[in-house]
Amino acid sequence: MKQAKLSLISAATLLALSSTAVAGDTEFKFGGYVKADVMFSDYSNGAPDSGNLSRQFYVPGTIYGTPGNGEQVVDFQARESRFNFKTSTDVDGHKLSGFIELDFMTHADGNERVSNSYSPRIRHAFVSFDNWTVGQTWSTFQNPGALPENLDFVGAAEGTPFVRQTQVRYTNGGFQFAIENPETTLTPNGGGLRMTSGSGMVPDFVARYNFKTEGGAKFTVAGLARQLNIENASYDSQTMGYGVSFTGVIPVGNDDIKLSATAGDGMGRYMALNYANAGVLDANGDIKTISSYGGFASYRHWWNDKWRSSFTLSGFKADNDVALTGGSVNEESYSGYINLLYSPVKPMTVGVEYMYAENTKQNGDKGELNRVMFSVKYVL
């Protein structure tokens, strides 16, 4: 019994001294980062209230503002900080691994008055066995490796697919196939608050191919097929939606170019953080899909081995049928970023970033956001 206790104490000590430990055939890794942000923001129509999602990071559709509030605000936060835990085991020649990650973003259950306490939220939680992955992680339709190096939490938010959800994925070489959690978002006939159906028995289907060139460029092509569904006491309608996405990371000497282009019909929540819905209901209660497209391009330049900058442009547009959606729905979103990042040592980055964003509704109403952001990040 004493020997067992000593073994547990030794294992705990090892974990405390290092981010990696080994017990038998299993390797344990602890990771994540600590990130502190200071954001000076100017909203053209008055700043949203403290704690609003837009005050945490840029989300298209949240910058129209709150009339009557002051336009200029400053926010200090450490909410993007995250931690994760991973295990990896060799089981008779098979690779078994598990991964879980939490952070503190998006919650409104705390406040800035005294303790700034916010609940952890689940980001990733999945298990992998050889070629199979089951659990919550990035949608197979998204390529997080192509996201620009911006200080903003997402960066180029309107120009990229951005979804984490539970799925079953099979990977074979550069090919990936997945069935993923379905969820339909709709605009009522004539406009109004977003409708989330919560119904549907058909999972979303995603196929993707990853490939490299001899010059070191990395590309992905992904396709999405999904059933849009609403079924309740008032409506019973189904239709199909689809999307195609292309991403690339292209080395240019020591620098690189990252880009993304996505288009489809009925993509809805898969693009631009659900800036536009997947469909709209007509007068008969039937779903009519909404087409949309978006993309971004980012150039990262290394001034030397410690200093670097990224220049990013991002955009999105939805083709709304105004006769069905009304004029209050989101139509276009654009943003641009320029930053300067400094890493005095590899795990640490200090940076400043300027961003400008403009969101436009179908009726021409606009919201603008100018933001200067300072960040310190330490990778565990």
Side-chain angles (χ1 to χ4, degrees):
M1 188 68 174
K2 182 181 290 187
Q3 185 175 358
K5 289 183 178 180
L6 287 174
S7 297
L8 287 173
I9 293 172
S10 298
T13 302
L14 182 58
L15 282 169
L17 295 175
S18 172
S19 62
T20 303
V22 178
D25 295 326
T26 301
E27 181 180 75
F28 303 87
K29 288 186 178 181
F30 174 82
Y33 59 74
V34 175
K35 184 169 182 276
D37 303 317
V38 180
M39 297 176 289
F40 295 88
S41 305
D42 187 319
Y43 293 85
S44 62
N45 301 323
D49 293 332
S50 177
N52 185 280
L53 190 62
S54 177
R55 300 277 292 268
Q56 300 175 38
F57 63 102
Y58 169 55
V59 178
T62 67
I63 68 170
Y64 294 112
T66 303
N69 284 357
E71 296 180 356
Q72 299 173 340
V73 291
V74 60
D75 290 287
F76 288 64
Q77 69 173 17
R79 298 172 63 154
E80 190 181 326
S81 302
R82 67 184 60 164
F83 56 92
N84 56 58
F85 183 70
K86 179 180 181 180
T87 67
S88 182
T89 307
D90 187 341
V91 183
D92 297 327
H94 298 280
K95 184 178 180 181
L96 174 65
S97 63
F99 184 83
I100 188 167
E101 183 173 67
L102 306 175
D103 73 0
F104 309 89
M105 297 293 286
T106 73
H107 281 295
D109 60 349
N111 59 65
E112 299 180 16
R113 293 183 295 106
V114 179
S115 66
N116 288 268
S117 300
Y118 301 98
S119 300
R121 64 160 188 169
I122 187 171
R123 285 174 51 84
H124 301 272
F126 63 87
V127 60
S128 296
F129 184 75
D130 289 343
N131 296 344
W132 292 93
T133 298
V134 181
Q136 176 166 308
T137 188
W138 298 114
S139 170
T140 311
F141 191 60
Q142 177 188 353
N143 178 18
L147 290 175
E149 189 182 21
N150 288 353
L151 296 182
D152 182 72
F153 178 62
V154 178
E158 61 271 277
T160 180
F162 194 92
V163 178
R164 287 187 302 269
Q165 60 192 7
T166 302
Q167 61 195 268
V168 179
R169 179 193 300 171
Y170 176 76
T171 302
N172 189 347
F175 290 96
Q176 294 182 320
F177 305 94
I179 54 174
E180 304 191 4
N181 182 65
E183 183 73 297
T184 300
T185 57
L186 301 171
T187 300
N189 182 251
L193 296 176
R194 170 176 291 140
M195 302 172 64
T196 303
S197 73
S199 58
M201 289 292 293
V202 180
D204 293 352
F205 294 88
V206 183
R208 174 170 151 181
Y209 180 59
N210 309 309
F211 61 99
K212 301 178 182 179
T213 68
E214 292 183 359
K218 300 178 182 179
F219 298 99
T220 71
V221 179
L224 166 71
R226 59 193 304 239
Q227 183 192 68
L228 308 183
N229 181 293
I230 184 169
E231 186 176 353
N232 55 34
S234 303
Y235 304 102
D236 186 358
S237 179
Q238 299 81 34
T239 192
M240 293 300 297
Y242 70 89
V244 178
S245 184
F246 172 82
T247 63
V249 180
I250 306 168
V252 183
N254 292 328
D255 302 340
D256 59 58
I257 296 173
K258 295 184 176 182
L259 51 87
S260 175
T262 306
D265 200 24
M267 290 189 297
R269 64 187 180 86
Y270 278 89
M271 272 297 290
L273 301 177
N274 208 169
Y275 183 63
N277 291 322
V280 58
L281 295 175
D282 66 12
N284 297 319
D286 294 326
I287 300 173
K288 302 300 180 183
T289 55
I290 297 175
S291 299
S292 60
Y293 50 91
F296 70 80
S298 180
Y299 177 70
R300 181 171 61 174
H301 174 66
W302 288 83
W303 303 102
N304 55 44
D305 61 348
K306 297 183 183 297
W307 293 87
R308 61 198 182 276
S309 295
S310 288
F311 310 86
T312 305
L313 294 174
S314 176
F316 172 90
K317 180 176 175 59
D319 289 331
N320 298 300
D321 184 342
V322 184
L324 298 179
T325 64
S328 62
V329 294
N330 295 318
E331 181 190 16
E332 295 179 340
S333 178
Y334 301 97
S335 64
Y337 309 76
I338 181 171
N339 61 37
L340 179 63
L341 309 181
Y342 171 60
S343 296
V345 292
K346 189 175 181 179
M348 184 175 180
T349 297
V350 181
V352 58
E353 179 172 278
Y354 168 73
M355 70 160 289
Y356 170 80
E358 180 180 302
N359 295 173
T360 306
K361 294 184 178 182
Q362 193 69 46
N363 59 14
D365 289 347
K366 289 185 178 180
E368 297 178 72
L369 170 63
N370 286 273
R371 175 172 285 166
V372 177
M373 182 173 183
F374 299 88
S375 295
V376 176
K377 178 179 177 180
Y378 171 62
V379 179
L380 303 176

